[in-house]
Amino acid sequence: QVQLVESGGGLVQAGESLRLSCAASVVTFNIHLMGWYRQTPGEQRELVATITNHGSTNTADSVKGRFTISGDNAKGTVDLQMNSLKPEDTAVYFCNVKGYSGFRYYDLWGQGTQVTVSS
């Protein structure tokens, strides 16, 4: 069973940086999209950034210019470099990997990692 393992969350002050990493335990399928999402209590999970297997990225307006996503779909790894962090970036961050193998579709989520930004 494929699992996603996240690392890199923590507590930082506003203006500082963090790097989140996510890795699939095994890659037994074709990955076509990887991304990071975040969620705060009582709110819906929202997209932060995604990257396709061709390297095309999509970044939420709220983090554009501060966050950068990178990934290696062959290895099943996706990172999120977060710079100039703000208190409103405080959330649980989840990585997501989508892909397929034959007729089976995979939509996998990590366990989440807490990012807290103090003012």
Side-chain angles (χ1 to χ4, degrees), residues 96-107:
N96 174 250
V97 172
K98 293 180 171 59
Y100 61 92
S101 177
F103 292 105
R104 180 174 179 178
Y105 190 72
Y106 293 80
D107 187 358

Side-chain angles (χ1 to χ4, degrees), residues 4-10 18-23 36 78-80 82 93 95 111-115:
L4 301 182
V5 179
E6 301 160 350
S7 61
L18 276 176
R19 187 176 183 88
L20 305 182
S21 296
C22 175
W36 286 93
V78 58
D79 293 344
L80 185 69
M82 305 185 294
Y93 285 70
C95 68
Q111 79 282 4
T113 185
Q114 177 71 46
V115 172

